[in-house]
Amino acid sequence: MSDTYEQEETEKALKNFLLDIDCLNNVSQWITKFNVFDVLKLENFEIRHSNMLAWLLDPNENHGLGDKVLLGLIKFITTKPDSLSAYELCQLINNSYSFSVLREYNNIDILLVSHENKIVICIENKIYSGEHDNQLERYKEIVETRFRGYKQFYLYLTLSGNKSSNPDVWFSISYTDMKTIIETACKHIELTAEVKLFINNYIEVIKRKIMMNETEIKKVCNEIYMKHKKALDLIYTHKSSELELIYLNLKDWLAKYNTGIDKDSLWFQADKIGMFIRFKSFNLSKLFPNVDQSESGWKRDSFYYYELYRMRDSYQFYLAFSYNWCSDENKKKIDEFLEKMGKKDDCKPSQWGYIVYYLEQKEYDIDTFMKGDFESLIKNIRAEEEKIKEQY
């Protein structure tokens, strides 16, 4: 097959797709409907879901559902063998408003406590991340120590109800279960228009953004794909990755504006450790001049870089030093810098030998970078470097 024929077929496939663009109307019901969580970019943030669930579970909050969601969760817990006796359940139902809801208590996502009933429910919420640092065992030890003598329940909340590392203690619950609990609680309850919209939006997020396994969505998408397979494969093959696109956008931004950033130092890296975009500034390069590659953990000419690091839902921004590779003289420079900036006690070398110095604004929205807007990032750098100038 000649290159000319292949090129003609490719162009024909793209034209057919463009001319049949109305086929995308079939998915519009999932992408055009207003949802406050979409607007505020909250649907994928684990911490936002924990906030929402904590609000709904609190019987004393202003949602108008009273204890309905809490009792729905307690009903779910009673499906676990040896959970609550009939007497304990009766006492709990009669005193449900005695529960208080704590967020991030010793890093525990949600903690429901009734001192009157001497019951505590611990919820660990995992959307996209997994367990780490033996956290479930640590949380259990905290609850056992702080709430000695209380009836204790441990729930491991995930998208699909995955088992925890200790399923005998941490009872699995899925977002499908939570959706059912919330929907059941809302039945036969007259909510205000604002609350009803807010809760319905959240239920839609669970269905559309988190579960994402509806047969109908898959069917429609597969039909579009099979009809325009060649064009869609071509688009997918040649599209830039998120990291590469942000890198290219930043490169264009630096070429347009006098930002104080050394645009020639810009580079990106994606590997099993994570996704990074790194660069230097002219001001900091005066303070930390270039070195031999042996002093750089990145095998480059610098032992420092500004670093954008891809988190699950956003980018973190900080100043990184490859401390363990540095000469004693440059280690002394880093120590002096951290001391002058009041961060000496907070910044220690990680297990990989790097020291990370966080700037004030720690998270940046992915979509903002994808659209090529780096104004907030540059403003943050300038503000930080003004502080540095004051100390030097």
Side-chain angles (χ1 to χ4, degrees), residues 99-129:
F99 272 93
S100 57
V101 181
L102 307 177
R103 282 281 291 116
E104 295 297 332
Y105 176 85
N106 284 278
N107 295 318
I108 297 170
D109 288 329
I110 304 173
L111 202 65
L112 308 171
V113 182
S114 172
H115 296 295
E116 187 173 331
N117 295 295
K118 288 195 174 299
I119 286 181
V120 59
I121 303 171
C122 179
I123 303 175
E124 178 59 16
N125 183 20
K126 296 291 185 187
I127 294 181
Y128 298 116
S129 62

Side-chain angles (χ1 to χ4, degrees), residues 221-389:
C221 290
N222 281 327
E223 286 175 356
I224 295 171
Y225 176 72
M226 293 309 297
K227 188 174 182 180
H228 296 288
K229 183 177 185 299
K230 191 178 184 71
L232 291 171
D233 283 348
L234 186 72
I235 291 168
Y236 185 80
T237 300
H238 291 281
K239 77 177 183 65
S240 297
S241 68
E242 174 200 300
L243 188 71
E244 184 180 9
L245 182 58
I246 291 175
Y247 162 79
L248 293 172
N249 284 342
L250 181 55
K251 192 174 182 180
D252 290 342
W253 180 281
L254 297 179
K256 288 179 184 177
Y257 302 103
N258 180 19
T259 60
I261 302 302
D262 180 0
K263 66 179 185 296
D264 295 326
S265 69
L266 183 67
W267 61 289
F268 72 94
Q269 174 187 354
D271 54 27
K272 61 182 180 181
I273 298 175
M275 296 164 58
F276 305 87
I277 295 175
R278 300 185 178 100
F279 53 86
K280 300 188 292 183
S281 75
F282 295 116
N283 284 330
L284 281 189
S285 291
K286 293 175 184 176
L287 196 58
F288 307 118
N290 287 354
V291 294
D292 186 86
Q293 287 189 7
S294 61
E295 287 199 58
S296 172
W298 302 282
K299 302 302 179 188
R300 291 179 176 255
D301 62 0
S302 179
F303 62 83
Y304 91 89
Y305 275 99
Y306 281 118
E307 194 164 274
L308 276 168
Y309 170 57
R310 173 67 149 89
M311 301 289 287
R312 287 188 303 277
D313 312 304
S314 60
Y315 276 85
Q316 276 196 336
F317 183 58
Y318 47 78
L319 183 58
F321 298 97
S322 59
Y323 190 83
N324 281 11
W325 290 267
C326 284
S327 64
D328 290 341
E329 180 184 353
N330 283 326
K331 282 182 181 177
K332 188 176 178 182
K333 281 185 180 180
I334 297 171
D335 289 340
E336 181 185 350
F337 170 80
L338 295 173
E339 189 167 352
K340 283 180 179 290
M341 301 308 295
K343 299 285 185 177
K344 186 71 170 67
D345 295 331
D346 301 330
C347 300
K348 304 294 181 184
S350 69
Q351 59 179 313
W352 298 284
Y354 295 93
I355 286 180
V356 171
Y357 168 80
Y358 286 97
L359 279 67
E360 284 186 14
Q361 185 174 341
K362 294 183 180 179
E363 293 188 6
Y364 292 83
D365 181 64
I366 294 169
D367 287 348
T368 302
F369 286 164
M370 293 284 278
K371 293 172 184 174
D373 183 357
F374 299 92
E375 186 173 352
S376 179
L377 175 69
I378 300 302
K379 184 178 179 181
N380 193 21
I381 294 172
R382 284 176 173 164
E384 190 66 28
E385 294 196 350
E386 282 300 318
K387 294 178 188 176
I388 294 171
K389 282 181 182 180

Side-chain angles (χ1 to χ4, degrees), residues 10-246:
T10 298
E11 187 171 348
K12 181 180 177 182
L14 286 171
K15 280 183 178 179
N16 287 339
F17 176 63
L18 292 171
L19 291 171
D20 191 30
I21 204 69
D22 286 345
C23 69
L24 297 180
N25 291 338
N26 293 330
V27 297
S28 64
Q29 59 179 305
W30 293 292
I31 60 177
T32 60
K33 191 175 179 180
F34 169 79
N35 190 300
V36 66
F37 292 89
D38 294 338
V39 175
L40 298 177
K41 309 295 183 186
L42 303 179
E43 67 272 15
N44 294 324
F45 283 78
E46 210 166 74
I47 191 171
R48 308 295 187 253
H49 285 278
S50 294
N51 287 340
M52 182 68 181
L53 293 174
W55 179 66
L56 290 169
L57 285 165
D58 192 337
N60 300 296
E61 269 291 359
N62 59 352
H63 40 61
L65 291 170
D67 60 358
K68 300 298 184 185
V69 178
L70 174 62
L71 292 180
L73 184 69
I74 291 170
K75 181 180 178 182
F76 179 86
I77 290 173
T78 59
T79 62
K80 184 179 180 181
D82 303 320
S83 57
L84 289 167
S85 68
Y87 175 77
E88 287 172 327
L89 183 57
C90 182
Q91 289 293 105
L92 200 55
I93 291 172
N94 290 332
N95 296 292
S96 59
Y97 283 84
S98 66
F99 272 93
S100 57
V101 181
L102 307 177
R103 282 281 291 116
E104 295 297 332
Y105 176 85
N106 284 278
N107 295 318
I108 297 170
D109 288 329
I110 304 173
L111 202 65
L112 308 171
V113 182
S114 172
H115 296 295
E116 187 173 331
N117 295 295
K118 288 195 174 299
I119 286 181
V120 59
I121 303 171
C122 179
I123 303 175
E124 178 59 16
N125 183 20
K126 296 291 185 187
I127 294 181
Y128 298 116
S129 62
E131 296 178 46
H132 57 82
D133 301 331
N134 203 29
Q135 61 182 156
L136 296 186
E137 187 59 33
R138 284 190 290 107
Y139 297 161
K140 181 174 177 289
E141 289 175 2
I142 290 168
V143 171
E144 286 178 338
T145 302
R146 173 62 183 84
F147 301 97
R148 198 180 304 276
Y150 284 54
K151 192 97 173 183
Q152 298 163 9
F153 297 99
Y154 300 91
L155 297 180
Y156 187 63
L157 174 61
T158 62
L159 295 182
S160 305
N162 297 336
K163 284 188 176 181
S164 70
S165 57
N166 189 354
D168 292 334
V169 174
W170 289 85
F171 192 33
S172 295
I173 179 171
S174 71
Y175 265 87
T176 304
D177 297 322
M178 285 305 309
K179 180 178 77 71
T180 301
I181 289 170
I182 297 167
E183 287 176 329
T184 303
C186 290
K187 288 181 179 178
H188 313 302
I189 297 288
E190 193 66 36
L191 300 173
T192 66
E194 295 88 347
V195 169
K196 186 176 181 180
L197 174 64
F198 191 54
I199 293 176
N200 285 343
N201 277 184
Y202 184 62
I203 291 171
E204 183 63 29
V205 162
I206 295 177
K207 289 166 59 178
R208 179 166 51 90
K209 289 290 187 181
I210 298 179
M211 293 160 60
M212 285 301 286
N213 60 354
E214 291 93 333
T215 303
E216 190 178 356
I217 294 178
K218 288 188 175 182
K219 184 180 177 183
V220 170
C221 290
N222 281 327
E223 286 175 356
I224 295 171
Y225 176 72
M226 293 309 297
K227 188 174 182 180
H228 296 288
K229 183 177 185 299
K230 191 178 184 71
L232 291 171
D233 283 348
L234 186 72
I235 291 168
Y236 185 80
T237 300
H238 291 281
K239 77 177 183 65
S240 297
S241 68
E242 174 200 300
L243 188 71
E244 184 180 9
L245 182 58
I246 291 175

